[in-house]
Every structure is written in structure tokens, then in C-alpha cells.
Amino acid sequence: MSDAALLQVLDALADGALHSGQTLADQFSISRAALAKRVDHLRDWGVEIAAQAGAGYRLAAPLERLDVQRIRRAVGVDAARIEVLTSTDSTNTQLLDALAANDPQVLFAERQTAGRGRRGRDWVSPFGSNLYGSVSYSFAAWPPRITTLPLAMAVAVARAIEAAGLPEVGIKWPNDLHIEGRKLAGILMETRGEAGGLCRVVVGVGLNVGLSEVQAAAISQPWTSLAAALAARGRAAPSRNALAAALASELLAALRHFAEHGFAPFAAEWKRRDVLRDQPVRIEATMPLSGTARGVDADGGLIIDTAEGRQIVHAGDVSVRAT
């Protein structure tokens, strides 16, 4: 069954209203049984569709698909190559395999079948509920202290979220976006290149926009969505297309700024948004470590004051939880 056929049904249901099964079947010149198969395929994509006997189908919530032309116009046609896929394994994987000569590139997908987070974790990626996107960028040479780039990228994502109406968003080291102790977004940065030569980075972002409890059943840590956090504050959720454009614009601008100035222009905002600073924390690693977080050092390492003295923890080998 083609993606186009499934998207036809999804677009017909996108308003979130109840739609007669017979009317939908007639609209697409298919049988009710064929319509039911298409609905089942959409459910396999992670789309929540309720069926009411004798009444029809409806989405659990209205759905706005990403419009690549709208995103390109908002970002600026000369800023980067921008594409949107219906489904892919991972936007990071796709850009890692893309030609570096085409950088900077931005890729969004409505759905990922093998979305990845830090330390090899799966990233839950149902169709159309969130934002899954990656940006590839090539530096002419390895930037000094590139280990701080993930932190700068977290600041960029926080700026896009603040522009969407949530200035309270914080950063949990090294680059998770949190609100009230719940994860809102995560970043996976991967690099390619050789010492002394070109450095290519792919920055992947997963942002929970309208994730539901049902869709998030496999998530094992406290989480929230942008829509839920905004609703709790009496604020309206933004358009997914406007949010995608803002996210791409902030990441591209931050990468260009980092190439020229490093982490220094991001340091003050990072400190302001640091949700762990002066909090008791526990580092889970081969040798567990407990202490008080004291911000980050010049290389982006987490500073921990322990009973045995000050320790520096680097990204990629630990998980951090406030205690």
C-alpha cells in the first residue's frame, strides 16, 4: 500500500472531527474493508485513530503535516537544502550518508522507524505527533573545543522553544531540554572527518510536540510535550511548520556562530538555563559518582563537587539524574 494512499486518508481525518466510514470509502472509491486496512496501516505508523461503530473514524487530535515549501520560505531558500520525508529510519542516518558538498542540509521526517537518542537509546517517533529533524554542517577545520558544540546546540533548541511560548525551558547536561523535571526534547550529535581536515557534524533533534500517553507508552523516563506544557500555562501550541522553521533557523544560525566564535556567545544562556546547577546529582557509570553539580568547564564537561573533591564528567559515558 502506497504512502500516498495512506496520506489521503490521514489528510481527510486531519481536522480531528468524526468522519463517516462510508463517506471516506466513497471519497477514495474503495470498499469499507479497504478503508479499514488503510486505517490499520496508519495505526502502525503510530497515528491514534478511534473507530466508532456505525459512526466512523476520528483522530485523537487534529494533525498538521509538515509542508516543505512553507518551511523553506520561512527559513530562507538560500540558507540550506531543506527536505521533508514521510518516513525514514533516522534523519541523522540519512544526513550522515548524504553528500557533504551539499551542506548545510536540513531533513525532517514525519515518522522514524529507527530513531536514535544518546547512548544508543531508541527515540519514540510516531507519525506527525512531534518533530524529528537533523541538520548537517561542514566546518573547514575542526573547531577548537568541539566538545562544547552539543551544549551550544541545546541553547539553540531552547531558543526555538522559547519563541514558541515556553521561556521556562531548561537544559539538563549535556543537551536535553526539560521543563519541570520532565524531558521535552533531546539532541544527538554525530561527527565525521579527519584530524587536520574538514569536520562534518550532524545534529539530530527530537522534540515532543503533541505526544500522547498512548504513543509514549514505551518511554521509561518522565516526559512532557510542548502542547501539554503550553496548555498548563494557558498558552496556545504553535503550528508544527512554524516550529520546524524556527528550529532549523536557530540551529543553522548557531552552527555558523559557533564556527566563528566557539561556545563563548552561548555560555551565559547555558548557565541561565542549567537545571542541574547547585543541585545534588548522581552520575551512573562504571564507578557511580554522587555530588553537587557546579556547571560546566571550558570543554563542556560537567563539574561535580564530591566528598573526595572536584570531578569533571564528560558527555557520552554517563547519565545524570537529580537526586
Side-chain angles (χ1 to χ4, degrees):
M1 188 174 298
S2 70
D3 287 353
L6 299 179
L7 292 174
Q8 283 183 329
V9 175
L10 186 61
D11 288 343
L13 297 171
D15 60 5
L18 184 66
H19 292 263
S20 159
Q22 188 59 60
T23 300
L24 290 171
D26 292 344
Q27 179 179 342
F28 303 120
S29 301
I30 58 176
S31 67
R32 291 288 297 274
L35 175 66
K37 288 183 179 179
R38 294 188 187 187
V39 169
D40 285 341
H41 276 287
L42 289 171
R43 287 172 175 152
D44 290 340
W45 283 5
V47 181
E48 280 191 85
I49 304 176
Q52 297 183 24
Y57 300 99
R58 72 186 313 161
L59 296 183
L63 187 149
E64 177 194 1
R65 284 209 285 136
L66 295 179
D67 181 336
V68 69
Q69 297 301 332
R70 183 175 169 186
I71 296 170
R72 286 172 180 166
R73 286 194 298 271
V75 174
V77 292
D78 297 327
R81 288 175 177 251
I82 301 174
E83 300 294 342
V84 173
L85 300 178
T86 297
S87 181
T88 191
D89 50 358
S90 158
T91 55
N92 259 34
T93 298
Q94 291 299 313
L95 285 190
L96 284 168
D97 292 340
L99 290 174
N102 293 331
D103 288 344
Q105 301 176 72
V106 180
L107 178 65
F108 289 102
E110 293 283 18
R111 168 180 178 255
Q112 294 183 124
T113 58
R116 295 178 285 121
R118 291 181 60 244
R119 303 182 67 200
R121 296 185 181 95
D122 293 336
W123 190 271
V124 175
S125 307
F127 186 99
S129 295
N130 305 316
L131 282 181
Y132 323 111
S134 299
V135 176
S136 59
Y137 191 91
S138 292
F139 297 94
W142 285 78
R145 290 184 165 142
I146 194 173
T147 50
T148 60
L149 181 56
L151 282 65
M153 296 298 95
V155 171
V157 176
R159 290 171 178 171
I161 294 171
E162 176 168 354
L166 199 63
E168 302 92 336
V169 65
I171 302 172
K172 180 183 176 184
W173 180 89
N175 53 14
D176 284 344
L177 286 300
H178 274 235
I179 187 76
E180 296 173 343
R182 294 180 174 273
K183 188 170 180 176
L184 179 63
I187 299 171
L188 175 65
M189 194 184 89
E190 300 179 271
T191 60
R192 294 288 186 272
E194 298 180 0
L198 179 143
C199 170
R200 187 166 190 256
V201 299
V202 174
V203 182
V205 178
L207 171 59
N208 297 333
V209 179
L211 193 66
S212 73
E213 294 284 350
V214 172
Q215 293 170 325
I219 298 178
S220 60
Q221 61 182 306
W223 64 274
T224 191
S225 70
L226 183 60
L230 289 171
R233 292 161 174 77
R235 303 167 193 163
S239 150
R240 283 181 74 232
N241 281 286
L243 186 59
L247 185 63
S249 295
E250 290 289 357
L251 288 169
L252 289 166
L255 284 161
R256 290 192 293 268
H257 211 50
F258 189 93
E260 295 180 11
H261 306 289
F263 183 62
F266 304 92
E269 186 168 352
W270 164 269
K271 182 178 180 179
R272 175 171 64 84
R273 295 188 185 275
D274 182 2
V275 300
L276 295 180
R277 191 176 188 87
D278 299 328
Q279 297 298 312
V281 296
R282 178 176 174 82
I283 312 302
E284 295 185 352
T286 304
M287 297 293 291
L289 182 69
S290 295
T292 301
R294 300 299 189 193
V296 296
D297 71 358
D299 293 312
L302 181 65
I303 303 170
I304 305 291
D305 281 343
T306 74
E308 293 75 32
R310 178 157 287 188
Q311 305 280 340
I312 306 297
V313 179
H314 296 281
D317 59 351
V318 298
S319 62
V320 183
R321 292 186 175 89
T323 59

